[in-house]
Amino acid sequence: MKNSMKKSLTYIAVAFLALTFAACKVEDPFVDRVVAPVLVDIVGAAFGAPLATEPTVSYPTTGKVTLTARLLELDKTNILDNTKGIDSIPVPNIPIRITLRTGAVLGEVTSNAQGVVSLEKSWEELGLATPRAGAVIRISWSGNYKGIAFTRLSQIQAR
């Protein structure tokens, strides 16, 4: 009898602990939970890159590098209508600051009527005097839309 009672108490204690831990909600102190107001689609990145954490675009080691992105606002008005769905609307006149992750500013550009921003730089201006195949440069695209700040991360790779 004592053995079965110990087992019962053990099961109850384990169940109580499991329920206690399952009920806890731990907030991530390092990630702000505000949804980005625009989609920053990095032009030239592989398919699915708008959803990827860091899309990578490859450039030849000779010549200039043209950093390009499209800024889109997602109109979810017709999300429940399967004949229409979500619409991607270009966002014009948004100032974007393009920087290296080291903090060096590459430039500030404003999106055109199609929501496109573009900046041309040499490899030397990107911090690589003699680029070698496989070298990676990390870029940040930052802006503010409807009072909400956003940043998109991407990478440039020499090929």
Side-chain angles (χ1 to χ4, degrees):
M1 180 103 169
K2 283 185 180 183
N3 232 1
S4 65
M5 190 151 188
K6 279 185 183 181
K7 278 186 179 180
S8 296
L9 288 175
T10 303
Y11 288 131
I12 291 171
V14 169
F16 177 75
L17 285 173
L19 286 173
T20 302
F21 286 119
C24 293
K25 181 179 178 185
V26 178
E27 293 293 328
D28 187 346
F30 303 107
V31 179
D32 191 7
R33 298 293 181 198
V34 176
V35 176
V38 294
L39 171 66
V40 181
D41 179 21
I42 307 299
V43 175
F47 178 75
L51 305 176
T53 54
E54 286 192 52
T56 302
V57 181
S58 295
Y59 294 94
T61 57
T62 58
K64 297 242 179 190
V65 172
T66 303
L67 307 170
T68 307
R70 281 185 301 239
L71 305 178
L72 304 165
E73 182 175 20
L74 301 178
D75 179 6
K76 299 175 186 172
T77 305
N78 298 311
I79 194 168
L80 297 178
D81 185 348
N82 68 345
T83 61
K84 295 179 185 172
I86 299 173
D87 193 14
S88 301
I89 303 165
V91 184
N93 303 317
I94 299 295
I96 298 292
R97 177 178 233 170
I98 303 171
T99 60
L100 297 175
R101 305 256 189 96
T102 59
V105 177
L106 295 175
E108 293 191 27
V109 292
T110 301
S111 59
N112 64 16
Q114 291 77 35
V116 176
V117 293
S118 192
L119 182 68
E120 187 175 88
K121 291 289 177 182
S122 68
W123 284 104
E124 193 170 341
E125 291 172 302
L126 294 170
L128 288 177
T130 54
R132 299 182 195 275
V136 174
I137 299 171
R138 290 173 171 72
I139 306 288
S140 295
W141 308 71
S142 300
N144 196 312
Y145 183 64
K146 294 185 177 178
I148 301 173
F150 62 90
T151 298
R152 175 70 161 138
L153 306 176
S154 71
Q155 299 182 132
I156 299 169
Q157 184 173 24
R159 63 167 184 240

